[in-house]
Amino acid sequence: MAEFEAVIGLEVHAQLRTQSKIFCTCSTTFGAEPNENVCPVCSGMPGVLPVLNEKVVEYAAKMGLAVDCAINPVSVFARKNYFYPDLPKGYQTSQYELPICEHGHVDILTEAGPKTVGVTRIHMEEDAGKNIHAQGENASYVDLNRSCVPLIEIVSEPDMRSATEAVAYLKELRAILVYLGICDGNMEEGSFRCDANVSIRPKGQREFGTRAELKNLNSFRHVQKAIEYEIERQTECVEDGVPVVQETRLYNAEKNVTVSMRGKEEANDYRYFPCPDLVPVRLDAGKIDAWRTQLPELPRARRERFERELGLSSADSGLLTAERDLADYFESAVAAYDQPKKLCNWIMSELARELNEAKKPAQDSPLTPANLAKLVRLVDEGLISGKIGKQIFSELFATGTDPEELVKAKGLVQISDTSALEAAVDKVLADSPSEVEAYRGGKTKLMGFFVGQVMKATKGQANPGLVNEMLRKKLG
Ligand code: ADP
Ligand code: MG
Ligand code: ZN
């Protein structure tokens, strides 16, 4: 039987973090009352004209520069015509033949090594409103707050060959947008959305197979699962001699399947044409160069710097840099205490767990980077044991207390005083005669038991190195 390979291309919509909408001065704030942020322009009244928000152009161009696109000196808005109640003008103002950015690429890491995914184009457009189908009421409502909120659409080449590669590409795109500060990257709230085009072909064949477009993917996990399911479904089709048809399919997360939504015959004919209400966007080289110099350090450069200058593994630096504010937190902690690997371990385990439970981003952590650095230093210098450090972590996180003060107030300083420890060790040995006998008879694995007992007796405050040494002498 022929072996198949998947071909995947992604269309990503990112909501831009501007204060006002793309063609009017209405606010883009999330969570307002329905139709609170609406004016004659974004509600599609006749006789009004759109005025382009300059920030949208800047943000779209910056994303283009970040992924090595060519920025077109002239780009044109076009009308994409279709009928839907959440689209009051009857067309979406978008870009078509002349988008603002073209021919870029994003580099990702795959199991087989580094790989480049082409970015076909990035264009600017407006979002639509939202239909609300009221439960138990024979009515539907339209909320136009989101109408005219600025988006960029980022279209990839069909360069990905597995669900894992598609997710790696998406995560990298999202990280770049967040680093640039132009999108909040929130997939659940829909400010970062993705449609996946999936086809299969026999390995070695050059021509692409017929693709299905998957929608309703609102987490990385859903993207992964939906693509995996779709590859399997298409493979079965071909093996059964049923041709794959070009169509749009919806992902159902509950059942983990994709379901046909509309076929090619029902596909929209958008009748694109240049928008006569908006002049072409002209950018001179000086402006583009100025934006280029404003780009921050991007995720990939930061990842490589963490590996090169701080000696972190690529896995560690990948995890740390995926979220910009976590990487910022880490760098502040390293500035306070130059032990990158140790700080990374505490951040990726203890801190990550607390942040996750509290549903907080790193920048809102009550435990400051400087205080985390202090805590790790206390452990390193042997003032408290690692075990105590972990025990007090939740309290430090919840209260933001200075670790030195908490350790002092609670009397948690590690017992490194030999005479104090000796008493505890002697007591444990005296209380466990059968274990002592078994140990001396060759069951040396019992060492762990003795250490554990001493730690318990000292409420975790004993210096484990010293305890080990003392036990070995006494039992030896
Ligand atoms: P449309 O606007 O109809 O969705 P595009 O030409 O803009 O069509 O392509 C959309 C996406 O589909 C792009 O990301 C592209 O890489 C991808 N794509 C095109 N052909 C295939 C294919 N045969 N298999 C998988 N993806 C494809
Ligand atoms: Mg499409
Ligand atoms: Zn408006």
Side-chain angles (χ1 to χ4, degrees):
M1 192 154 296
E3 244 199 90
F4 293 98
E5 121 180 305
V7 172
I8 302 154
L10 301 181
E11 294 162 275
V12 169
H13 286 92
Q15 187 178 314
L16 300 178
R17 287 178 57 184
T18 53
Q19 306 252 300
S20 56
K21 294 184 178 181
I22 182 169
F23 300 125
C24 62
T25 56
C26 292
S27 163
T28 55
T29 326
F30 188 81
E33 286 296 305
N35 295 310
E36 189 179 324
N37 299 328
V38 167
C39 75
V41 172
C42 54
S43 57
M45 294 295 160
V48 291
L49 286 171
V51 177
L52 179 59
N53 180 343
E54 239 185 318
K55 268 286 176 224
V56 174
V57 182
E58 177 187 329
Y59 286 179
K62 281 185 171 167
M63 185 57 188
L65 292 169
V67 297
D68 282 322
C69 279
I71 311 300
N72 284 326
V74 180
S75 71
V76 171
F77 280 98
R79 292 185 180 179
K80 179 180 181 177
N81 299 279
Y82 64 93
F83 175 76
Y84 207 62
D86 66 8
L87 191 74
K89 291 181 296 187
Y91 60 84
Q92 178 193 26
T93 306
S94 180
Q95 295 193 300
Y96 188 56
E97 275 168 353
L98 266 177
I100 183 165
C101 315
E102 286 179 285
H103 315 304
H105 63 89
V106 169
D107 298 316
I108 57 169
L109 277 177
T110 72
E111 275 170 22
K115 166 163 185 157
T116 294
V117 176
V119 170
T120 316
R121 53 187 276 143
I122 300 176
H123 65 250
M124 303 176 274
E125 61 187 26
E126 60 185 354
D127 209 342
K130 205 166 74 183
N131 292 340
I132 298 163
H133 307 292
Q135 288 275 324
E137 234 181 292
N138 192 17
S140 286
Y141 298 90
V142 183
D143 176 4
L144 293 177
N145 281 345
R146 213 179 55 190
S147 168
C148 269
V149 163
L151 303 176
I152 49 175
E153 177 171 345
I154 306 160
V155 181
S156 87
E157 290 292 305
D159 284 345
M160 289 148 281
R161 296 290 173 266
S162 69
T164 308
E165 282 184 18
V167 170
Y169 164 82
L170 266 187
K171 286 191 171 166
E172 189 68 17
L173 264 196
R174 181 181 172 278
I176 295 169
L177 288 160
V178 172
Y179 271 58
L180 289 171
I182 64 176
C183 171
D184 67 25
N186 191 324
M187 274 183 111
E188 283 85 42
E189 281 175 16
S191 34
F192 182 81
R193 338 195 252 267
C194 157
D195 299 336
N197 294 270
V198 180
S199 64
I200 59 163
R201 64 181 172 187
K203 263 213 165 116
Q205 177 181 305
R206 277 188 64 87
E207 301 82 53
F208 293 142
T210 305
R211 71 181 148 118
E213 182 171 339
L214 311 183
K215 291 193 179 284
N216 199 30
L217 312 172
N218 35 33
S219 70
F220 290 123
R221 214 180 105 77
H222 289 181
V223 173
Q224 176 92 28
K225 292 272 171 203
I227 294 176
E228 280 170 359
Y229 173 87
E230 185 60 18
I231 293 170
E232 210 166 291
R233 187 191 69 84
Q234 292 185 13
T235 308
E236 274 171 27
C237 279
V238 174
E239 284 175 352
D240 294 346
V242 181
V244 173
V245 292
Q246 188 171 336
E247 60 184 355
T248 303
R249 299 179 69 87
L250 268 192
Y251 178 61
N252 179 329
E254 240 162 71
K255 299 189 178 139
N256 188 35
V257 294
T258 63
V259 184
S260 181
M261 186 169 113
R262 58 170 181 258
K264 200 185 176 190
E265 313 78 56
E266 308 145 61
N268 293 299
D269 169 10
Y270 293 124
R271 295 166 289 126
Y272 279 101
F273 64 88
C275 181
D277 286 349
L278 287 154
V279 293
V281 179
R282 288 175 200 280
L283 295 172
D284 60 54
K287 194 159 217 173
I288 296 170
D289 284 341
W291 285 335
R292 198 193 307 273
T293 61
Q294 289 167 13
L295 296 185
E297 183 182 39
L298 294 170
R300 178 163 156 232
R302 198 173 206 185
R303 200 158 56 228
E304 288 168 359
R305 180 167 60 80
F306 281 6
E307 288 173 42
R308 198 177 57 241
E309 290 177 5
L310 304 178
L312 294 185
S313 70
S314 79
D316 280 345
S317 57
L319 285 170
L320 276 175
T321 53
E323 298 290 340
R324 181 181 179 171
D325 64 342
L326 195 67
D328 289 343
Y329 187 101
F330 167 73
E331 289 214 72
S332 308
V334 171
Y337 184 47
D338 191 16
Q339 288 289 340
K341 175 62 188 163
K342 284 181 182 151
L343 288 164
C344 168
N345 289 346
W346 282 85
I347 288 174
M348 295 319 302
S349 52
E350 308 305 312
L351 183 70
R353 190 196 59 233
E354 296 291 342
L355 289 171
N356 194 29
E357 276 171 16
K359 295 204 181 1
K360 278 192 174 147
Q363 67 204 19
D364 296 343
S365 167
L367 174 67
T368 62
N371 277 343
L372 176 76
K374 264 192 194 173
L375 175 69
V376 178
R377 192 197 289 268
L378 287 175
V379 173
D380 273 359
E381 290 176 348
L383 245 68
I384 59 169
S385 63
K387 197 171 162 194
I388 292 279
K390 286 184 182 171
Q391 274 172 16
I392 60 174
F393 201 91
S394 291
E395 183 170 350
L396 289 173
F397 181 84
T399 59
T401 320
D402 182 319
E404 280 168 6
E405 278 166 23
L406 188 73
V407 162
K408 251 188 238 147
K410 293 201 156 185
L412 294 174
V413 174
Q414 179 160 273
I415 308 168
S416 297
D417 166 0
T418 346
S419 55
L421 273 188
E422 194 151 17
V425 169
D426 286 342
K427 179 152 194 323
V428 165
L429 293 183
D431 288 348
S432 334
S434 54
E435 281 85 358
V436 170
E437 202 184 315
Y439 181 91
R440 292 202 168 118
K443 254 188 113 180
T444 52
K445 267 197 281 182
L446 279 168
M447 183 54 100
F449 164 78
F450 294 121
V451 175
Q453 291 300 106
V454 177
M455 294 312 282
K456 203 167 145 194
T458 57
K459 299 201 177 66
Q461 278 172 261
N463 178 327
L466 267 184
V467 172
N468 254 293
E469 202 179 299
M470 225 175 252
L471 279 166
R472 226 170 294 121
K473 255 191 224 148
K474 289 188 188 272
L475 287 164

